[in-house]
Amino acid sequence: MPSPHTIAATEQIERLKVMKRQESTHYMIPDYLSPEWQARLAEAEVSDHPPTNESTPPTNESTPASSSAIELWREKICEWCYNVVDHYELPRESVSVAMNILDRYVSSRLLTPKTYTLAGVTAIHIAVKLVSQYKLCMSHLLALCAGKITADDIASMELTMLSALSWRVSGPTAADFCGELIDSSFTETTPHALNGLHDMARYLTELAVCEYFFVTRKPSSIALASISYAIELTNDHVHHRDKDRFISRVAQVGLDIVDDEVTQCHARLRVMYRKNVAVNEEVDYDGEVRGDRGQGSPTGVGGGPDNTCKKRKRVKEVDKEGRLITEHGEEIARFSPV
């Protein structure tokens, strides 16, 4: 009869295989900012809504934007979402789910700035309901939107997005892969080192959420890159047998830690980490990080893996402009439509 440990390991492998199938099918995101994809969306838009002689002249609010503009919109929405979930003490994983929902929706149609903003707000509304046992009250969400979006707007857009996505809104995230792989592989590492590995890998996956480069990369590739780089950044304090077990587990699931996509993600994360977090650290030529963690902050992702929920500031009010204001009068987040 197999031991409980063997049964648990087998179940984890099967879960990872299911997640791997999901990321390669229903939850794949195309490079929707590529000229070819944008041209395809434009053709579909003309086909669905042919111009008429009585059409009104286009305005900034009615004309779909360029790929570079959409990328900037995405960064703004992502930053706003992280600020909101942090200071309402909601799971940060909500933002990863929200951006996956938003990216897949945006890949299917051309959006104006106003519609993109509404889709972003609706995406975090959906994601929080999926991820958190605590909800972001509609009244709070509307207050954050400073009167620019109504409850009916969000309700209507929610139905539109869910229908467009065939109600598939619970795909695997990079953080999901990290959790499963670390829990099933690193069984002999000390609790302190294991916590450090978990925190660093999770932080790196949050960095990836912020940048469009990772949109078209599989969550499993981002997770493998995050774990391998986290091992480097935590000064290699994991047990040597756990490293071997990790490589074995990856192979059992059908993943490849030296895959080109994983290598690309690793290189990009290294650049982002050093740019956003390691500003005040001493980094040697072997990639080891020494000294205190820097205070540089990536877009919307706190001050590093050691500066998350525990240091949140109490929100006193939301003002008329949709700003989150602390009890000390400090502005945390402002709703700024794209």
Side-chain angles (χ1 to χ4, degrees):
M1 181 177 180
S3 66
H5 176 74
T6 301
I7 294 174
T10 301
E11 290 176 347
Q12 284 179 313
I13 292 173
E14 290 306 311
R15 280 198 299 272
L16 283 163
K17 287 181 177 179
V18 170
M19 292 161 61
K20 181 174 178 288
R21 286 195 297 270
Q22 289 178 321
E23 71 172 0
S24 300
T25 52
H26 303 304
Y27 293 94
M28 277 190 70
I29 304 174
D31 182 9
Y32 61 83
L33 294 187
S34 67
E36 297 79 11
W37 196 272
Q38 287 292 301
R40 189 183 309 172
L41 293 180
E43 290 175 6
E45 180 74 13
V46 171
S47 176
D48 293 340
H49 304 92
T52 65
N53 293 332
E54 299 179 358
S55 297
T56 56
T59 65
N60 290 337
E61 286 298 317
S62 63
T63 304
S66 64
S67 295
S68 58
I70 296 172
E71 189 168 357
L72 290 175
W73 296 355
R74 188 184 185 280
E75 290 178 5
K76 290 180 67 176
I77 287 292
C78 189
E79 178 180 9
W80 183 78
C81 287
Y82 267 120
N83 285 330
V84 169
V85 299
D86 274 353
H87 295 288
Y88 275 111
E89 301 189 5
L90 298 166
R92 309 188 101 234
E93 182 68 5
S94 303
V95 181
S96 179
V97 174
M99 297 310 294
N100 178 272
I101 292 171
L102 180 62
D103 285 323
R104 287 191 293 126
Y105 180 69
V106 174
S107 73
S108 67
R109 66 206 62 217
L110 296 177
L111 299 180
T112 63
K114 182 178 180 180
T115 308
Y116 190 97
T117 300
L118 175 58
V121 172
T122 304
I124 193 64
H125 171 65
I126 295 171
V128 168
K129 291 194 292 185
L130 290 169
V131 174
S132 177
Q133 60 178 320
Y134 303 105
K135 307 306 177 188
L136 178 56
C137 295
M138 180 62 75
S139 59
H140 292 170
L141 189 59
L142 294 178
L144 288 171
C145 295
K148 296 178 175 67
I149 291 175
T150 68
D152 287 343
D153 291 335
I154 294 174
S156 177
M157 177 57 80
E158 182 175 7
L159 287 176
T160 299
M161 295 178 74
L162 292 174
S163 177
L165 301 177
S166 300
W167 293 76
R168 294 189 177 101
V169 290
S170 298
T173 66
D176 291 332
F177 276 102
C178 278
E180 293 285 352
L181 287 168
I182 291 176
D183 289 344
S184 64
S185 304
F186 298 88
T187 58
E188 297 183 64
T189 298
T190 65
H192 177 73
L194 185 61
N195 287 337
L197 180 65
H198 261 297
D199 288 345
M200 183 60 73
R202 174 187 50 75
Y203 176 69
L204 292 170
T205 65
E206 290 173 1
L207 278 180
V209 174
C210 299
E211 189 162 323
Y212 180 80
F213 171 86
F214 294 97
V215 167
T216 59
R217 272 62 180 184
K218 295 189 293 292
S220 61
S221 298
I222 299 170
L224 292 177
S226 297
I227 294 172
S228 60
Y229 189 36
I231 292 173
E232 297 177 32
L233 291 173
T234 52
N235 295 317
D236 222 15
H237 286 159
V238 302
H239 197 284
H240 66 90
R241 283 196 294 268
D242 283 347
K243 291 184 189 178
D244 295 336
R245 190 177 296 108
F246 170 60
I247 295 173
S248 174
R249 184 72 77 238
V250 167
Q252 286 176 309
V253 176
L255 298 172
D256 184 1
I257 199 167
V258 294
D259 179 77
D260 286 345
E261 185 171 281
V262 176
T263 302
Q264 293 167 6
C265 291
H266 187 283
R268 191 61 165 245
L269 286 172
R270 179 186 291 272
V271 171
M272 291 181 70
Y273 180 85
R274 292 187 174 189
K275 176 182 178 181
N276 292 298
V277 178
V279 175
N280 298 322
E281 293 174 336
E282 177 185 349
V283 183
D284 69 13
Y285 290 105
D286 295 326
E288 292 187 354
V289 181
R290 300 188 176 89
D292 297 330
R293 297 201 182 283
Q295 296 304 307
S297 175
T299 303
V301 189
D306 299 326
N307 182 26
T308 52
C309 307
K310 295 180 181 179
K311 298 184 180 180
R312 289 172 178 151
K313 301 170 184 176
R314 179 180 294 277
V315 176
K316 181 180 179 182
E317 63 178 346
V318 178
D319 72 3
K320 294 180 180 180
E321 296 181 3
R323 297 182 301 170
L324 296 177
I325 307 297
T326 69
E327 56 191 350
H328 302 297
E330 177 185 357
E331 176 182 322
I332 296 171
R334 179 197 295 267
F335 178 74
S336 178
V338 297

